[in-house]
Amino acid sequence: MAIQAIIFDAYGTLFDVYSIAALAEKRFPGQGDALATLWRDKQIEYTRLRTMCSMYKPFWEVTQDALVFSCKKLGLALDFDAQHALMAQYAKLPPFPENLSVLEQLRVQGFKLAILSNGNPQMLEAVVKAAGLQATFQHLLSVDSVRKFKTAPEAYQLGTDMFGIPAKNILFVSSNCWDVCGAAWFGYTTFWVNRAGAPLEELGVAPHAEGRSLTDLLAFAALDRGAS
Amino acid sequence: MAIQAIIFDAYGTLFDVYSIAALAEKRFPGQGDALATLWRDKQIEYTRLRTMCSMYKPFWEVTQDALVFSCKKLGLALDFDAQHALMAQYAKLPPFPENLSVLEQLRVQGFKLAILSNGNPQMLEAVVKAAGLQATFQHLLSVDSVRKFKTAPEAYQLGTDMFGIPAKNILFVSSNCWDVCGAAWFGYTTFWVNRAGAPLEELGVAPHAEGRSLTDLLAFAALDRGAS
């Protein structure tokens, strides 16, 4: 396959978006999981509606809008303090435990690494810095420059443009199945980090490989190195 | 406002997509509501992903894909017979009880009426016929002709192109808040049939009016007639 570079999705893949449930639970006892889930669903829904209608707005603001809606929907009183605390937590979402070691091994093996995210540059830099990953990635690519969220092809094209490598020689890694499908449609070789053991989306397209955590990516990458 | 024509969304607005829960419950006891809800969510999600990636496929097929995924996700064994029965039900979803009378009154008042739907022509004609609404609408507009689902502007433009009337002089009616928002972004005057009493989506746009059933639309239309 001759994979030369690996591009990672950020939210959900490298950083645990549902970890926010613990803080949400403290603020709204009994509703933490419900809020974390609805918040994430709405955030993604809003990116798609805005992209289809050319009504782009930075992901940080979309995330805030989704939080406001979710609290209204669940009947939770979101005061300024709670909103500020939850958004502040979003700026420093923790990486999944295995990520740091896996990323370091991939880097040492000579793969070029990048992030391609819906997040706007400022929030992306903040979350990467909070995780101590500043030196890991050659590029932090944000859809902000094309003002279209994933799964718009223009968003995925940021990766091929930046590396100057054909999409099939780049491995696109995401835990979001819809993101993997969008990347596969675009032409990337794809790896689905299927943390929840979810069924594949019925979109007529499948990832090239799948694992349960980022650790499984190491075996896939080693296989490729062996073959090339 | 001088509303001259009224365009209705079909699924969820005129026809009750969640009515399928009763049949789903018979097939999968205890899971009817969960299946109806997930099925609908996935159906809409797939329309958006396919639209963003230019991977259009008729709504009937997308609906079937969403059913297959939803059953896998919920761990329900969807055999050929159950799939056939649920899809057959989708082809003849019942209209909400107030609809027939409201539509007839609007027609008598001289409004031009149309449907603008994600549904492909064949399924749209089937559901309209099953409800005895063949004579009610001047046009059944399907996004199939532009191969993009709502909320793509090209989909909404089918209405203005067909009537040859500016969007603001057409009332767009939907029970799906995201659909109302997309229509408002496009320029239509909009009415949200908020059957569930849901909060407004946080998209920076709002419907011109809102009601709890299609009956509330009569008062809004009468007001407009009085004003014009």
Side-chain angles (χ1 to χ4, degrees):
Chain A
M1 270 174 300
I3 296 299
Q4 299 165 45
I6 306 179
I7 295 181
F8 294 85
D9 167 56
Y11 297 98
T13 302
L14 296 179
F15 307 107
D16 186 357
V17 290
Y18 296 110
S19 67
I20 211 133
L23 178 60
E25 180 67 26
K26 269 189 209 161
R27 292 276 170 170
F28 305 110
Q31 299 283 337
D33 283 339
L35 178 56
T37 302
L38 183 58
W39 185 6
R40 172 66 174 169
D41 287 352
K42 274 292 150 186
Q43 177 198 46
I44 299 303
E45 183 180 5
Y46 287 176
T47 62
R48 294 172 184 167
L49 293 170
R50 288 189 170 278
T51 298
M52 279 197 287
C53 293
S54 303
M55 298 298 282
Y56 179 81
K57 186 177 182 180
F59 197 54
W60 181 257
E61 295 173 35
V62 168
T63 301
Q64 210 152 359
D65 291 344
L67 173 61
V68 169
F69 176 87
S70 300
C71 286
K72 283 186 185 164
K73 173 87 179 190
L74 295 172
L76 308 175
L78 182 71
D79 58 20
F80 179 81
D81 186 56
Q83 181 169 338
H84 184 78
L86 286 163
M87 289 301 296
Q89 180 68 16
Y90 215 95
K92 51 180 182 192
L93 290 172
F96 288 96
E98 81 275 16
N99 290 10
L100 301 180
S101 152
V102 170
L103 291 167
E104 186 51 26
Q105 290 178 67
L106 291 170
R107 203 178 62 80
V108 167
Q109 286 170 33
F111 289 105
K112 297 172 187 171
L113 306 181
I115 288 178
L116 197 169
S117 169
N118 274 340
N120 43 293
Q122 204 182 355
M123 70 187 287
L124 204 52
E125 281 157 29
V127 77
V128 165
K129 190 177 173 193
L133 289 169
Q134 300 101 307
T136 305
F137 300 100
Q138 294 191 8
H139 308 288
L140 302 185
L141 303 172
S142 165
V143 304
D144 194 66
S145 61
V146 292
R147 297 177 65 83
K148 284 174 195 281
F149 293 103
K150 295 188 273 186
T151 56
E154 293 88 341
Y156 292 115
Q157 200 180 328
L158 289 166
T160 47
D161 283 355
M162 180 55 84
F163 282 120
I165 300 173
K168 69 173 168 34
N169 297 120
I170 300 176
L171 183 64
F172 190 94
V173 179
S174 181
S175 65
N176 301 297
C177 190
W178 53 267
D179 190 16
V180 164
C181 291
W185 273 334
F186 181 80
Y188 284 111
T189 298
T190 52
F191 187 94
W192 180 23
V193 185
N194 185 6
R195 297 188 193 278
L200 179 68
E201 298 290 354
E202 293 285 328
L203 289 166
V205 65
H208 296 79
E210 180 182 332
R212 290 301 291 264
S213 79
L214 224 58
T215 307
D216 296 329
L217 180 58
L218 284 176
F220 181 73
L223 209 71
D224 180 81
R225 273 290 140 112
S228 67
Chain B
M1 270 174 299
I3 295 300
Q4 298 166 45
I6 307 179
I7 296 180
F8 294 86
D9 166 56
Y11 297 98
T13 302
L14 297 178
F15 307 107
D16 186 356
V17 290
Y18 296 109
S19 68
I20 212 133
L23 178 60
E25 180 67 26
K26 269 190 212 160
R27 291 276 171 169
F28 306 110
Q31 298 284 334
D33 283 340
L35 178 56
T37 301
L38 183 58
W39 185 6
R40 173 65 173 168
D41 286 352
K42 273 291 149 185
Q43 177 198 46
I44 298 304
E45 183 181 5
Y46 287 177
T47 62
R48 294 171 184 167
L49 291 171
R50 287 188 170 279
T51 299
M52 279 197 286
C53 293
S54 303
M55 296 300 283
Y56 179 81
K57 186 176 182 180
F59 197 53
W60 181 258
E61 295 174 35
V62 168
T63 301
Q64 211 151 358
D65 292 342
L67 174 59
V68 169
F69 176 86
S70 301
C71 286
K72 282 185 187 167
K73 173 92 178 183
L74 296 172
L76 307 174
L78 182 71
D79 58 19
F80 179 81
D81 186 58
Q83 181 169 340
H84 185 78
L86 286 162
M87 288 302 295
Q89 180 69 14
Y90 215 95
K92 51 181 183 191
L93 290 172
F96 289 96
E98 80 276 13
N99 290 9
L100 301 180
S101 153
V102 169
L103 291 167
E104 185 53 25
Q105 289 178 69
L106 291 170
R107 203 179 62 81
V108 167
Q109 286 170 35
F111 289 105
K112 296 172 188 171
L113 307 181
I115 287 178
L116 196 170
S117 170
N118 274 342
N120 44 293
Q122 204 181 355
M123 70 186 286
L124 205 51
E125 281 158 27
V127 77
V128 165
K129 190 176 174 194
L133 289 169
Q134 300 102 309
T136 305
F137 300 100
Q138 293 190 11
H139 308 288
L140 302 186
L141 303 171
S142 164
V143 303
D144 193 66
S145 62
V146 292
R147 298 177 65 83
K148 285 174 194 282
F149 294 103
K150 295 188 271 186
T151 56
E154 293 88 340
Y156 292 114
Q157 198 178 328
L158 289 167
T160 48
D161 282 356
M162 180 56 83
F163 282 121
I165 300 172
K168 70 173 166 36
N169 298 119
I170 300 177
L171 184 64
F172 190 94
V173 179
S174 182
S175 65
N176 301 298
C177 191
W178 53 267
D179 190 16
V180 164
C181 290
W185 273 335
F186 181 80
Y188 284 112
T189 298
T190 52
F191 187 94
W192 181 24
V193 185
N194 185 4
R195 297 189 193 278
L200 179 66
E201 298 290 353
E202 294 286 329
L203 289 165
V205 64
H208 296 80
E210 179 181 332
R212 290 301 292 262
S213 79
L214 223 57
T215 307
D216 296 328
L217 179 59
L218 284 174
F220 181 74
L223 207 73
D224 179 82
R225 273 291 139 110
S228 68

